[in-house]
Amino acid sequence: TTANIATHPVINTPTINTMKSIIAATLIASAAAFAPASGPAATQTSLAASPFANEIGAQVPLGYWDPLGLCADGNKENFDRLRYVELKHGRVAMLAVVGYLVTYAGVRFPGAEDIPAGWAALPAVPAAVWVQMVFTWGVMEAFNRDASDVHDIPESDFAGDFRNGFIDFGWEKQSDAWKQRKRTIELNQGRAAQMGILGLMVHDKLGNVQDILP
């Protein structure tokens, strides 16, 4: 009847198919981010001609992917800077995801039991705590860097290498293949964490984060 038609929304099939494609692509990218890579992916596209096509992170399913052409000029210094920025954002995002899940689960420092999780914590954190956090961030920025320019130590082996001749954890005893695999895993998990914390922040703001967390 006309009444029944009016009360049931019309399903737009092309829109649903588009949404399904986007969701599927996102899931594939997420799975690839968590999978340790055995090596750079071979590709027959023009991107494979880039001098950075064999760098870590260039792997299935995308291979070397630079859609904005940020490294199209082949500038190694620029590439290393962008790689360091990506790696740093990934490390921060991994800490952010863990921190979000821990506070959402109700874990708090003594004296902070009344501070909520997520966005709601921003106005609830006392000014003194903000000062302490900013100071801590400054200290972390000062120490988490290549210090070969101020100390008589070897220069770091790669962007993001902050051992500074102090903590090694047996890194130098490992093979080059093992080192590349570990660096690739960190990079990929950092990429996944950036997507993860963004998703948590968006759902928190929408007010339905409880629907995706246990």
Side-chain angles (χ1 to χ4, degrees):
T1 65
T2 304
N4 289 335
I5 294 176
T7 56
H8 288 78
V10 177
I11 299 176
N12 190 327
T13 302
T15 300
I16 293 177
N17 290 335
T18 300
M19 293 180 66
K20 287 181 177 179
S21 299
I22 294 173
I23 293 172
T26 303
L27 292 175
I28 292 172
S30 300
F34 281 105
S38 57
T43 174
Q44 298 300 320
T45 66
S46 60
L47 291 177
S50 168
F52 311 120
N54 292 322
E55 294 285 344
I56 64 170
Q59 60 189 61
V60 293
L62 299 177
Y64 176 73
W65 195 58
D66 183 17
L68 299 181
L70 299 178
C71 298
D73 59 356
N75 188 313
K76 185 67 165 62
E77 183 178 350
N78 180 52
F79 176 85
D80 288 341
R81 182 185 66 82
L82 293 175
R83 169 49 51 84
Y84 171 69
V85 171
E86 178 186 21
L87 184 61
K88 183 174 182 179
H89 278 75
R91 289 171 174 175
V92 172
M94 286 188 279
L95 291 172
V97 170
V98 173
Y100 191 100
L101 296 178
V102 168
T103 53
Y104 182 86
V107 179
R108 297 289 187 278
F109 286 114
E113 292 83 358
D114 296 333
I115 296 179
W119 290 107
L122 297 182
V125 173
V129 176
W130 277 111
V131 172
Q132 294 175 38
M133 287 195 297
V134 172
F135 175 77
T136 302
W137 296 337
V139 171
M140 294 174 67
E141 282 290 319
F143 282 92
N144 288 304
R145 58 184 292 271
D146 178 9
S148 60
D149 57 337
V150 294
H151 295 289
D152 186 20
I153 55 177
E155 187 176 351
S156 61
D157 291 343
F158 51 87
D161 176 15
F162 299 147
R163 289 173 295 157
N164 291 319
F166 176 58
I167 300 178
D168 185 75
F169 295 115
W171 179 265
E172 292 298 339
K173 298 178 181 178
Q174 304 297 332
S175 65
D176 290 342
W178 184 93
K179 293 177 182 178
Q180 177 171 309
R181 179 174 177 272
K182 289 298 183 180
R183 290 178 59 197
T184 302
I185 290 173
E186 180 189 24
L187 183 66
N188 287 341
Q189 291 187 348
R191 291 169 173 174
Q194 291 176 73
M195 294 188 291
I197 191 60
L198 178 61
L200 289 171
M201 292 166 65
V202 169
H203 282 284
D204 190 349
K205 202 65 176 177
L206 292 174
N208 63 349
V209 70
Q210 69 278 357
D211 295 335
I212 62 174
L213 293 178

